[in-house]
């Protein structure tokens, strides 16, 4: 009798798991925010497991390792001095130098480098029609995210490189928005070119 | 003069015993129902908060380094939150209770182990006490202290086991999917 009950429970659990899995994948497919199963969201050269865990755990991605990863795919790592200088350059006003913010909308609208284009790497479709033409025309593109162990700027740079943007134009600002704000540099809130400064 | 106990006396004791057992069983069933609905609501809430922002959950799942295969990573991040919602709804409504509770326990136990292991790594890396570790474990509640999270998960697991044991039948829509009499 007990064995029979156990069997019934196990069969029931298997049924719940099967139907639940179908429900889950269907819900993901129908959701506007659903993930694309076939997409590699983290295109990365091999990182050892230990280093990756401790790096993420301690919230520090060393500039050396980031620089090495970027160099491996032909990208350049730049610092705050380079970025501030580029911001002040007159070419920035002419859109020959552009900034791309690789964060999601809420972070972007809370504060970004003035004039920066938003490019949510994980949901690029809404941004591509605006970002790609601007990137093709620009002479220099500086991509950033939060800084620290944020990898989104790195992934966004690789994405743009694969989308046809010449690699020599692409620069990744490793310090990110946190570094920018720490130096009391101008910050714009809301949509791009809102003119609302923080 | 040595008269035998009237049959009614032993019968009354037995009856009282049966009444007590009945009350205990009733209490156990109703407490199981409360636990069932509570776990159901928690799972629906936690699942939805992750399902509505799967990218964030994907990044959190990645931090556990369980698999470098992106198909598997995406499948887990895409399906797990909605599966939690599904199980939560079944429990809240009282459908296939024991099977669902077993599924819940099957998720909660390994997840707790994985979270504890990660917390140990963080504690070692940051040289802080285990209970001082605070991070977003991907549970749907944001950053939490590990000890509180472990306690919460243990309670959820114990609650799920209580349901698997057969409690929580009261106010259940279809407690078991098996045919009546099984």
């Amino acid at each position: 009798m007990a064995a029979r009950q156990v069997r019934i429970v196990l069969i029931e659990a298997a049924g719940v798991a099967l139907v639940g899995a179908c429900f889950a994948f269907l819900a993901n497919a129908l959701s506007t925010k659903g993930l694309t199963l076939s997409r590699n969201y983290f295109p990365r050269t091999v990182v050892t497991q230990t280093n990756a865990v401790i790096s993420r755990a301690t919230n520090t991605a060393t500039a050396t390792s980031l620089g090495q990863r970027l160099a491996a795919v032909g990208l350049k790592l730049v610092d705050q001095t380079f970025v501030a200088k580029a911001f002040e350059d007159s070419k920035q006003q002419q859109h020959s130098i552009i900034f791309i913010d690789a964060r999601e909308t809420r972070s972007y609208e809370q504060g970004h480098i003035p004039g920066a284009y938003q490019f949510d790497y994980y949901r690029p479709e809404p941004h591509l029609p605006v970002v790609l033409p601007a990137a093709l025309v620009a002479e220099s593109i500086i991509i950033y995210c939060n800084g620290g162990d944020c990898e989104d700027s790195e992934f966004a740079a690789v994405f743009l490189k694969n989308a046809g943007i010449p690699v020599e134009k692409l620069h990744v600002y490793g310090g990110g928005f946190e570094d920018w704000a720490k130096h009391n540099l101008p910050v714009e809130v809301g949509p791009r070119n809102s003119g609302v400064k923080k | 003069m040595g008269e035998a106990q009237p049959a009614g006396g032993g019968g009354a004791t037995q009856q009282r015993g049966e009444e007590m057992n009945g009350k205990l069983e009733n209490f156990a069933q109703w407490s199981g129902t409360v636990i069932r609905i509570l776990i159901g609501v928690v799972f629906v809430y936690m699942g939805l908060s992750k399902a509505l922002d799967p990218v964030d959950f994907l990044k959190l799942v990645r931090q556990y380094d369980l698999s470098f295969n992106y198909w598997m990573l995406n499948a887990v991040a895409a399906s797990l939150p909605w599966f939690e919602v599904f199980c939560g709804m079944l429990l809240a409504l009282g459908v296939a209770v024991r099977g669902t509770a077993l599924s819940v326990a099957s998720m909660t136990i390994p997840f707790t182990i994985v979270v504890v292991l990660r917390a140990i790594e963080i504690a070692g890396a940051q040289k802080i006490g285990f209970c001082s570790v605070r991070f977003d474990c991907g549970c749907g509640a944001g950053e939490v202290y590990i000890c509180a999270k472990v306690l919460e998960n243990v309670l959820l697991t114990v609650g799920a086991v209580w349901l698997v044991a057969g409690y929580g039948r009261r106010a259940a829509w279809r407690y078991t999917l098996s045919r009546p009499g099984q």
Side-chain angles (χ1 to χ4, degrees):
Chain A
M1 180 70 174
R4 195 177 180 188
Q5 286 297 315
V6 167
R7 196 169 70 242
I8 288 171
V9 172
L10 287 174
I11 292 170
E12 203 171 73
V16 166
L18 189 62
V19 176
C22 293
F23 170 84
F25 284 112
L26 183 65
N28 177 73
L30 294 175
S31 168
T32 54
K33 296 188 178 184
L35 296 175
T36 305
L37 297 181
S38 58
R39 181 180 168 188
N40 183 0
Y41 286 90
F42 308 104
R44 250 301 184 88
T45 48
V46 173
V47 177
T48 62
Q49 185 168 355
T50 308
N51 288 345
V53 166
I54 293 176
S55 168
R56 281 192 279 274
T58 57
N59 241 17
T60 56
T62 62
T64 308
S65 60
L66 174 60
Q68 286 170 341
R69 290 200 306 272
L70 292 173
V73 290
L75 295 166
K76 290 180 277 296
L77 176 68
V78 295
D79 61 10
Q80 185 267 329
T81 307
F82 178 96
V83 174
K85 196 172 167 191
F87 183 74
E88 294 301 326
D89 193 319
S90 58
K91 286 184 180 178
Q92 203 257 331
Q93 302 300 320
Q94 295 155 15
H95 306 292
S96 292
I97 297 176
I98 64 169
F99 290 84
I100 292 179
D101 188 316
R103 299 175 298 163
E104 42 82 37
T105 302
R106 190 176 52 195
S107 299
Y108 174 83
E109 294 197 343
Q110 281 175 352
H112 54 266
I113 295 176
Y117 292 86
Q118 190 201 353
F119 180 65
D120 182 350
Y121 161 75
Y122 297 96
R123 298 182 192 94
E125 293 81 10
H127 309 291
L128 281 172
V130 174
V131 169
L132 265 185
L136 283 166
V137 166
E139 292 174 10
S140 179
I141 302 162
I142 299 169
I143 307 161
Y144 68 92
C145 57
N146 274 329
D149 65 348
C150 175
E151 305 161 295
D152 297 345
S153 53
E154 179 186 344
F155 295 140
V158 171
F159 185 101
L160 290 173
K161 170 178 169 267
N162 293 337
I165 304 300
V167 69
E168 50 274 5
K169 291 190 189 183
L170 296 167
H171 305 83
V172 173
Y173 177 17
F177 185 72
E178 283 176 4
D179 186 54
W180 178 270
K182 201 169 68 178
H183 286 85
N184 296 318
L185 293 164
V187 170
E188 181 177 70
V189 295
R192 179 173 180 264
N193 290 335
S194 65
V196 180
K197 301 283 194 285
K198 202 176 187 180
Chain B
M1 220 176 102
E3 279 178 303
Q5 277 280 4
T13 305
Q14 188 179 355
Q15 192 178 354
R16 275 197 297 277
E18 282 170 2
E19 275 175 16
M20 185 58 75
N21 281 342
K23 283 181 182 171
L24 277 173
E25 174 68 16
N26 202 34
F27 174 77
Q29 286 295 343
W30 275 113
S31 65
T33 295
V34 170
I35 289 168
R36 171 171 63 76
I37 293 172
L38 205 62
I39 295 177
V41 168
V42 165
F43 263 69
V44 168
Y45 174 77
M46 295 293 199
L48 273 180
S49 65
K50 289 180 290 208
L52 297 178
D53 196 350
V55 167
D56 260 0
F57 184 59
L58 175 70
K59 293 180 188 179
L60 290 169
V61 171
R62 181 174 174 250
Q63 75 181 354
Y64 290 103
D65 290 322
L66 297 173
S67 168
F68 281 117
N69 179 307
Y70 67 85
W71 273 95
M72 218 154 81
L73 185 66
N74 292 349
V76 168
S79 64
L80 197 56
W82 287 112
F83 186 70
E84 286 182 16
V85 172
F86 180 76
C87 289
M89 286 192 310
L90 289 185
L91 285 178
L93 293 171
V95 176
V97 174
R98 285 182 300 175
T100 307
L102 184 58
S103 297
V104 163
S106 302
M107 281 192 290
T108 315
I109 294 170
F111 179 71
T112 304
I113 293 170
V114 163
V115 166
V116 164
L117 290 175
R118 172 140 172 80
I120 290 172
E121 278 167 1
I122 294 174
Q126 296 183 356
K127 295 185 178 26
I128 55 177
F130 178 77
C131 284
S132 300
V133 172
R134 182 182 158 92
F135 69 107
D136 190 340
C137 60
C139 322
E143 286 198 353
V144 292
Y145 284 101
I146 183 62
C147 287
K149 174 43 66 176
V150 169
L151 179 63
E152 181 187 312
N153 281 9
V154 166
L155 291 174
L156 280 173
T157 306
V158 168
V161 169
W162 187 247
L163 298 177
V164 173
Y167 298 100
R169 292 175 188 264
R170 302 288 186 263
W173 189 16
R174 179 77 190 268
Y175 182 79
T176 179
L177 298 181
S178 62
R179 283 190 293 275
Q182 281 189 308

